[in-house]
Amino acid sequence: MAMRLDHQLREQIFHKHTTFPITYFQDELAELPQFTGPLHWHPDFELASAEFSILEYQVGQQRILLEPGDSIFINRNVLHGVKQLDGSQTEPMPNIVFSGSAIAPENSIIFQKYIKPIALCDQMPFVVFRHNDLNQDEVNNWLKDIYSRLRRQENCFEMAVQRNLSKIFEYLFRNFECLPKTEVPRIQITAQIRIQKMLSYIYDNYSNAITLEDIANAANISRSEAGRCFKTYMECSPVDALIQYRLQIAHELLGDKSLTLEKISCACGFHSVRYFNRQFKKKYGHTPHELRKLGK
């Protein structure tokens, strides 16, 4: 299932059962160009695991490497993205996105006492569970069982999943004081809000002619400050980010054989087909025509 982002970069998670708000994903990276998921956020918790490849998670400004067997917990409303760093085959990256109410109702003492403090902890945007840490091995095993139960969906699977999630949050709560914390200065929070606004503007207006000043104005900052924000979070300039997003959309549109390359180029904000072809080949190693013939 491809990521669906709204204008605030918030991933739109539509849980199949609202009374059991947890969704299981696998093979998402296979649908994304260069096995890379864009920066986004959602109001739910996320747990994900690396199975065969090395993954790089970006959480806020931090980058974390997950080796095969490692897992990561990402707190609610935290800007994050992921990409596969090695291997020619896509990493399955099983993961779940879930509301805390999947464990207990929000007005219950369990939610208020054990889940809410973690959800509101700005100093805990993520927690990594390493496969070679015996103290964390049980968490990885609980996660494996969750993935398996959600795949098979046998009788009483919801109860088993809920038990395992409760165990994970009990682990987080009991080890709360000794788990690594990240102090997020006010300037970093401000920068994150700005990058969200500017990326939202790009995602909404990529098909139009956009200048650096337009992008900066979306966050009411100067062009130089916009450049600093993008350099910090995305290691590129605002204009480069715009081009990369246009190319990502173009890559998706190639699957629609009814669209000519000229139409795709124009729809993605490239008003020169020659420039579009050159940028596309630079990013993907093939021209749009070549990639369409390859069926990729």
Side-chain angles (χ1 to χ4, degrees):
M1 181 183 295
M3 291 184 180
R4 294 187 297 272
L5 309 182
D6 70 7
H7 67 286
Q8 293 179 307
L9 309 184
R10 180 168 50 198
E11 185 177 7
Q12 298 299 285
I13 305 295
F14 300 103
H15 297 297
K16 186 176 181 180
H17 302 290
T18 56
T19 52
F20 188 56
I22 177 170
T23 302
Y24 171 71
F25 299 98
Q26 182 167 305
D27 298 322
E28 279 189 290
L29 291 178
E31 300 182 18
L32 297 169
Q34 299 180 318
F35 305 153
T36 300
L39 287 174
H40 64 286
W41 64 277
H42 42 68
D44 292 331
F45 301 108
E46 181 170 336
L47 282 159
S49 303
E51 289 199 339
F52 309 119
S53 308
I54 297 177
L55 300 177
E56 181 185 74
Y57 258 90
Q58 180 179 348
V59 183
Q61 294 183 11
Q62 298 186 71
R63 286 174 169 79
I64 308 102
L65 293 184
L66 294 188
E67 298 179 349
D70 292 345
S71 301
I72 188 169
F73 165 80
I74 299 175
N75 216 334
R76 303 191 310 182
N77 301 322
V78 175
L79 194 66
H80 63 282
V82 61
K83 65 180 176 180
Q84 181 178 334
L85 295 185
D86 66 339
S88 57
Q89 298 298 316
T90 182
E91 161 66 40
M93 197 191 74
N95 66 97
I96 55 173
V97 178
F98 61 98
S99 167
S101 61
I103 303 172
E106 293 189 5
N107 61 353
S108 68
I109 190 171
I110 291 176
F111 188 98
Q112 296 296 319
K113 187 175 180 179
Y114 302 110
I115 300 175
K116 189 175 181 179
I118 294 171
L120 296 181
C121 183
D122 293 333
Q123 290 74 44
M124 191 185 285
F126 68 92
V127 179
V128 177
F129 308 107
R130 298 295 182 187
H131 71 282
N132 53 4
D133 186 331
L134 293 179
N135 294 323
Q136 298 178 336
D137 199 43
E138 58 184 358
V139 177
N140 286 314
N141 288 331
W142 293 330
L143 264 175
K144 289 177 183 176
D145 190 63
I146 287 175
Y147 301 146
S148 176
R149 302 273 186 176
L150 289 171
R151 276 196 302 268
R152 301 197 313 267
Q153 296 199 7
E154 296 173 348
N155 195 29
C156 299
F157 80 93
E158 298 96 338
M159 297 178 70
V161 169
Q162 184 187 51
R163 283 196 301 272
N164 283 322
L165 285 177
S166 293
K167 291 176 183 177
I168 292 172
F169 268 80
E170 182 179 348
Y171 174 91
L172 293 173
F173 185 83
R174 287 184 181 277
N175 294 279
F176 187 82
E177 295 302 324
C178 61
L179 286 171
K181 304 295 191 302
T182 302
E183 291 296 330
V184 184
R186 172 56 55 183
I187 190 171
Q188 184 173 325
I189 295 174
T190 300
Q192 179 168 313
I193 294 171
R194 287 172 173 173
I195 197 74
Q196 285 179 305
K197 289 180 178 179
M198 290 186 287
L199 283 174
S200 297
Y201 180 82
I202 288 174
Y203 292 176
D204 284 343
N205 298 278
Y206 67 89
S207 62
N208 303 321
I210 297 177
T211 66
L212 172 57
E213 188 169 3
D214 292 331
I215 297 172
N217 286 342
N220 295 313
I221 57 177
S222 67
R223 291 177 295 178
S224 58
E225 181 60 27
R228 282 191 287 270
C229 287
F230 274 86
K231 183 67 175 177
T232 299
Y233 277 91
M234 304 186 71
E235 298 181 343
C236 68
S237 71
V239 174
D240 284 338
L242 168 62
I243 292 171
Q244 296 309 306
Y245 186 69
R246 284 171 168 170
L247 291 173
Q248 179 183 329
I249 297 298
H251 188 282
E252 295 174 5
L253 293 178
L254 283 178
D256 187 345
K257 300 297 177 62
S258 68
L259 296 175
T260 65
L261 296 183
E262 289 78 11
K263 286 184 177 180
I264 292 175
S265 173
C266 185
C268 295
F270 294 104
H271 299 297
S272 165
V273 177
R274 180 176 297 179
Y275 179 72
F276 167 54
N277 286 335
R278 187 166 65 248
Q279 291 294 324
F280 196 95
K281 185 171 184 177
K282 181 179 177 181
K283 180 174 178 65
Y284 297 114
H286 298 278
T287 66
H289 178 69
E290 291 169 344
L291 205 63
R292 176 173 271 179
K293 286 182 65 177
L294 291 171
K296 293 184 179 180

